[in-house]
Amino acid sequence: MARITVEDCEKVVPNKFDLVVLAAQRTRQILAGDQLTIDGKDEKKPVIALREIAAKTVSIDDLKTGVINGFRSFIPAEEEEEDFDDITEEDNYNPYSSIEMKALEKEDINVVSDTDIDENL
């Protein structure tokens, strides 16, 4: 079997950082039980992932989506997003609406000087 090189993969994914991230994502998928798209019985999983990327047998867009979703802590469904928008539009509750705000006048403010503090000690 021919050895896989980074140069082979760079024809598909030009950025080396992106290549590493996508290969790691595909390796995780393989370890989770995804079907192999190439013959790689005796090879290590990262090598298989790189060979699949170089052979274009896996979708790069699907791998990118998988990476992005892996970093998200919450992935809302489209229906849930609509419901959330309706809730936020209807929410008009203001806990401070019954409180009357008053601006402070200059004479309402007591200024404490350093000498006042020293006298109390």
Side-chain angles (χ1 to χ4, degrees):
M1 264 189 220
R3 300 280 301 176
I4 186 70
T5 62
V6 174
E7 288 80 22
D8 296 332
C9 296
E10 282 184 325
K11 295 173 185 172
V12 180
V13 182
N15 187 325
K16 288 182 183 179
F17 177 78
D18 289 344
L19 176 63
V20 169
V21 172
L22 295 176
Q25 177 65 24
R26 181 59 187 150
T27 302
R28 283 187 215 101
Q29 290 175 350
I30 293 169
L31 290 171
D34 264 7
Q35 290 290 93
L36 301 180
T37 58
I38 59 169
D39 183 36
K41 295 178 184 176
D42 298 330
E43 294 180 354
K44 295 180 180 181
K45 306 302 186 228
V47 174
I48 295 171
L50 288 170
R51 288 186 62 218
E52 289 178 341
I53 291 171
K56 298 180 184 178
T57 59
V58 292
S59 171
I60 301 300
D61 292 333
D62 290 345
L63 289 176
K64 286 180 183 179
T65 303
V67 170
I68 292 169
N69 289 338
F71 285 116
R72 290 183 176 166
S73 59
F74 175 73
I75 303 170
E78 289 182 25
E79 297 170 1
E80 292 175 359
E81 287 179 9
E82 293 172 6
D83 294 340
F84 182 72
D85 290 339
D86 293 340
I87 291 170
T88 55
E89 289 174 5
E90 294 172 3
D91 186 17
N92 295 325
Y93 175 70
N94 182 358
Y96 304 107
S97 62
S98 63
I99 298 174
E100 188 175 316
M101 301 300 278
K102 174 184 162 189
L104 292 175
E105 300 295 329
K106 204 171 197 177
E107 53 269 358
D108 293 337
I109 300 172
N110 293 330
V111 178
V112 178
S113 66
D114 291 338
T115 56
D116 294 337
I117 294 172
D118 292 337
E119 290 173 4
N120 291 333
L121 293 176

